Amino acid sequence: MRVFSFINRVIHAHSTPYKLLALFSVSGGGLVAFSDSQAESGRHGVEPSQKESKKKLVVLGTGWAGTSFLKDLDISSYDVQVVSPRNYFAFTPLLPSVTCGTVEARSIVEPIRNMIKKRSGEINFWEADCLKIDAANKRVFCQSNLDANVVGSNEFSLEYDYLVIAVGAQVNTFNTPGVLEYCHFLKEVEDAQRIRRTVIDCFEKAVLPGLSEEERQTNLHFIIVGGGPTGVEFAAELHDFVQEDLVKLYPSVKDLVKITVIQSGDHILNTFDERISSFAEQKFQRDGIEVLTGSRVVNVSDKFINMKMKSTGEVFSVPHGMVLWSTGVGARPVVKDFMEQIGQGNRRVLATDEWLRVKGCQDVYALGDCATIDQRKIMEDILTIFKAADKDNSGTLTMDEFEDVIEDILVRYPQVELYLTSKHLPDVTYLLKDAQGNEREEVNYEEFKSALCLVDSQAKSLPATAQVAAQQGAYLSRCFNIREQCETNPEGPRLFRGSARHQFRPFRYKHLGQFAPLGGDQAAAELPGDWVSMGHSTQWLWYSVYASKQVSWRTRFLVVSDWGRRYIFGRDSSRI
């Protein structure tokens, strides 16, 4: 106790720079780091008159996007209020590890109030659900999710000048009958805890006296619907939990356990490099994990899951003890209602422009899993771009005229750069060469249009990952920080319909790679530069990256100690 007291005194005696951690990460998940100090000396209480002059900024959600936005936000110009049904930030990439006790639930969560208190209390947090967004009157209606016996009203509303929607998404069931009633999901910490209890229950049921072998096999058949990163990682974690821990505790049923992964596509991990997908399938085959590709779930009951083979149309039933549904995400009810208000009711997800502004709604921003960027196509503006570049109105573009707008084109339309990379072209001027590969002195409109007509094929939606959400949060906070400066000195690309410029540079996602833990202390990694790594060494890289990406020293210490405890003592099988 004396040691910890001494450390605590030393930490609080030193200034902010000594207590700030800078982290670097190369994987898919994004970075959120907070200083362990109190706010800078200049940030003390805000006078009422100052607060009244501030713009009201309401943030919905405390996930990757919302937390990353708050981390870097300069709150001197905004009255910030945060609303979320959870009073903590969860490191969601480790949720599969929580399901089997490799990592404890409290090791991956950091209380939001611990984070905002380091900003001198200038950020207010309310633990509540947002029920409705009234875009016309700039107000959000909320309801506390606390117990009903708490004294006082549970409902309240907040006005806003700016609204940031970062509520995440819910699991997409594709309206499959029985999924909501009989399947587990893995989106929240509570989901992981329920799965952990269910796994133990299945084993306890299987060893009860009086059961037939068929009943025991049914109880120990674990089915994962969805062969993406979450489903594959859970299957790997469950296999390790069974083989390393549970078979020692339940030796009588060790040969009856079965794990099945159902994937509608032709391969699992189909968003990864095909080398990783193939490696994962081969490893699962060696581990005895069954992979059913080309299969679609028709319905789920309490005892059976019914599937249809795409190739043959055959429908068959499989008994199960537990089903995990991990097949993508969909919009939450509050977001769906908001989309109806602003004319986006026919969409599956909330659409924003390249600056993360919600289309059809002023002063509202959306980021993370709840939204998607509707990237403008270059062919929609091709004539405008040509006319803006053709300064002498000659009807043709010289190379010098084209080079004057190249930088603005690359910034405004990121698909151009992606297309050049896919075609291994060094710069955009190569697109204007003739069929024989010779340079042209000038091009007319039709030749210019033909040169860029295939570029929009690279305009793709961003994945719903923590990495994307964290980068969007950091980008948007920067825009808010420099808003006043950019009103007089815009930094964005040229507006081709006039001489002005966009206020900010559009959001540009930088893919830093992604991991896929495959069990047995093996993992696969896909990193920038077409680098693919697989095996035991990659697992240690995964450990180091995920430890570094924890949001505080407390969670970092807890996660690393959990990994060490698992190696020494194994996983805990208590049902608590």
Side-chain angles (χ1 to χ4, degrees):
M1 292 299 293
R2 291 181 178 179
V3 174
F4 287 108
S5 298
F6 172 76
I7 293 173
N8 187 59
R9 289 196 302 271
V10 170
I11 288 176
H12 285 84
H14 287 76
S15 60
T16 297
Y18 292 96
K19 298 157 69 178
L20 185 66
L21 179 68
L23 299 176
F24 172 71
S25 167
V26 295
S27 77
L31 176 64
V32 181
F34 285 86
S35 168
D36 281 338
S37 71
Q38 297 297 319
E40 297 174 8
S41 57
R43 290 179 179 172
H44 295 295
V46 181
E47 296 295 330
S49 59
Q50 291 178 308
K51 196 166 185 178
E52 289 175 3
S53 65
K54 290 182 176 183
K55 293 287 188 179
K56 297 177 181 178
L57 172 60
V58 174
V59 181
L60 304 179
T62 53
W64 282 97
T67 308
S68 181
F69 173 74
L70 294 170
K71 178 182 76 75
D72 295 322
L73 181 66
D74 179 6
I75 55 179
S76 61
S77 302
Y78 302 99
D79 174 18
V80 185
Q81 301 188 74
V82 183
V83 179
S84 175
R86 285 166 295 282
N87 68 349
Y88 57 83
F89 165 81
F91 191 85
T92 52
L94 284 178
L95 282 180
S97 297
V98 175
T99 63
C100 298
T102 305
V103 173
E104 293 299 324
R106 289 193 176 274
S107 299
I108 67 166
V109 300
E110 183 71 14
I112 285 297
R113 294 189 183 277
N114 280 1
M115 298 177 177
I116 63 176
K117 76 177 182 181
K118 298 162 189 174
R119 309 298 298 272
S120 294
E122 296 180 39
I123 298 178
N124 293 310
F125 171 75
W126 319 117
E127 184 177 351
D129 287 296
C130 177
L131 301 180
K132 185 178 180 63
I133 301 170
D134 185 353
N137 297 305
K138 288 194 169 185
R139 183 179 290 272
V140 294
F141 296 89
C142 309
Q143 183 179 47
S144 171
N145 59 0
L146 302 176
D147 293 338
N149 60 353
V150 177
V151 177
S153 174
N154 282 341
E155 297 182 356
F156 61 94
S157 65
L158 301 172
E159 292 182 345
Y160 67 82
D161 295 304
Y162 301 109
L163 176 65
V164 176
I165 304 174
V167 297
Q170 63 184 13
V171 175
N172 191 351
T173 66
F174 300 98
N175 296 319
T176 306
V179 171
L180 290 175
E181 295 84 358
Y182 304 113
C183 292
H184 286 272
F185 308 114
L186 191 51
K187 289 288 292 178
E188 311 290 347
V189 172
E190 294 84 357
D191 295 335
Q193 293 174 315
R194 280 191 291 268
I195 291 172
R196 184 174 177 179
R197 288 192 292 268
T198 300
V199 170
I200 300 301
D201 287 346
C202 288
F203 274 85
E204 292 293 350
K205 289 178 183 177
V207 297
L208 290 175
L211 272 66
S212 66
E213 184 166 325
E214 182 180 356
E215 290 172 327
R216 299 182 199 278
Q217 287 179 333
T218 297
N219 287 328
L220 296 177
H221 189 191
F222 302 94
I223 296 178
I224 298 98
V225 182
T230 301
V232 167
E233 186 172 350
F234 171 70
E237 283 280 358
L238 181 59
H239 175 268
D240 287 354
F241 187 27
V242 171
Q243 297 301 318
E244 296 173 7
D245 300 283
L246 295 182
V247 294
K248 301 173 185 177
L249 303 176
Y250 306 92
S252 62
V253 295
K254 64 179 181 179
D255 297 326
L256 304 180
V257 182
K258 185 178 181 180
I259 301 172
T260 300
V261 178
I262 300 173
Q263 168 70 343
S264 61
D266 296 329
H267 299 280
I268 60 174
L269 296 179
N270 52 17
T271 59
F272 283 70
D273 186 282
E274 61 181 13
R275 290 169 289 181
I276 291 179
S277 179
S278 177
F279 178 81
E281 290 174 352
Q282 293 172 12
K283 186 179 187 306
F284 275 13
Q285 185 178 12
R286 293 194 301 270
D287 291 342
I289 299 175
E290 182 181 26
V291 177
L292 297 178
T293 57
S295 303
R296 183 175 64 87
V297 175
V298 177
N299 58 68
V300 183
S301 68
D302 59 338
K303 299 297 182 183
F304 294 91
I305 182 168
N306 298 315
M307 295 178 289
K308 181 178 181 180
M309 295 295 296
K310 288 185 176 181
S311 58
T312 63
E314 176 190 1
V315 178
F316 58 97
S317 298
V318 177
H320 67 81
M322 190 197 83
V323 178
L324 171 69
W325 187 271
S326 177
T327 60
V329 295
R332 295 187 183 275
V334 64
V335 176
K336 291 179 181 178
D337 177 72
F338 177 59
M339 291 166 64
E340 292 286 348
Q341 294 181 48
I342 60 174
Q344 293 192 26
N346 60 341
R347 298 183 61 95
R348 293 188 300 107
V349 64
L350 188 61
T352 71
D353 63 15
E354 297 87 339
W355 291 267
L356 307 183
R357 298 174 299 208
V358 174
K359 288 194 167 185
C361 193
Q362 190 176 7
D363 298 327
V364 178
Y365 301 81
L367 52 161
D369 294 358
C370 69
T372 185
I373 297 175
D374 191 4
Q375 176 64 51
R376 188 169 180 83
K377 293 179 171 54
I378 194 171
M379 296 309 294
E380 295 174 348
D381 300 325
I382 193 69
L383 180 58
T384 305
I385 295 172
F386 183 85
K387 289 181 177 180
D390 185 16
K391 296 179 180 179
D392 57 4
N393 295 319
S394 63
T396 60
L397 288 187
T398 65
M399 287 301 103
D400 289 338
E401 288 177 325
F402 181 55
E403 287 175 357
D404 285 342
V405 297
I406 284 178
E407 183 177 352
D408 291 313
I409 290 175
L410 292 176
V411 173
R412 181 66 181 86
Y413 308 97
Q415 61 265 41
V416 176
E417 190 171 337
L418 294 174
Y419 182 77
L420 295 176
T421 302
S422 68
K423 297 299 181 181
H424 306 288
L425 298 177
D427 61 70
V428 71
T429 59
Y430 276 70
L431 294 175
L432 300 185
K433 291 185 177 183
D434 60 23
Q436 287 73 39
N438 300 318
E439 293 186 1
R440 297 167 172 167
E441 293 185 2
E442 58 183 22
V443 293
N444 59 34
Y445 170 68
E446 290 301 327
E447 290 170 334
F448 182 71
K449 180 179 179 181
S450 176
L452 297 174
C453 66
L454 299 178
V455 164
D456 289 325
S457 63
Q458 293 296 318
K460 300 175 182 177
S461 299
L462 297 177
T465 63
Q467 183 178 171
V468 172
Q471 290 187 28
Q472 288 179 337
Y475 163 82
L476 189 60
S477 67
R478 179 182 179 276
C479 291
F480 271 76
N481 294 342
I482 62 174
R483 180 183 295 276
E484 292 185 5
Q485 171 189 336
C486 288
E487 286 178 355
T488 56
N489 187 24
E491 66 169 14
R494 176 179 175 180
L495 281 162
F496 290 109
R497 297 185 184 277
S499 58
R501 307 187 73 86
H502 288 281
Q503 186 175 0
F504 307 109
R505 296 175 68 90
F507 172 73
R508 179 69 64 90
Y509 170 61
K510 184 179 180 181
H511 185 57
L512 301 176
Q514 51 189 344
F515 281 97
L518 301 173
D521 283 331
Q522 295 190 58
E526 183 182 73
L527 300 174
D530 196 31
W531 179 39
V532 171
S533 176
M534 296 169 285
H536 294 284
S537 60
T538 309
Q539 179 69 30
W540 287 102
L541 176 63
W542 180 85
Y543 283 137
S544 62
V545 168
Y546 274 46
S548 72
K549 286 161 53 180
Q550 298 303 310
V551 299
S552 69
W553 276 108
R554 183 189 71 85
T555 56
R556 187 172 299 109
F557 175 80
L558 290 174
V559 167
V560 173
S561 63
D562 283 347
W563 286 335
R565 169 190 51 77
R566 193 269 291 184
Y567 273 108
I568 298 172
F569 301 107
R571 301 170 182 83
D572 184 9
S573 63
S574 303
R575 189 197 182 282
I576 53 176

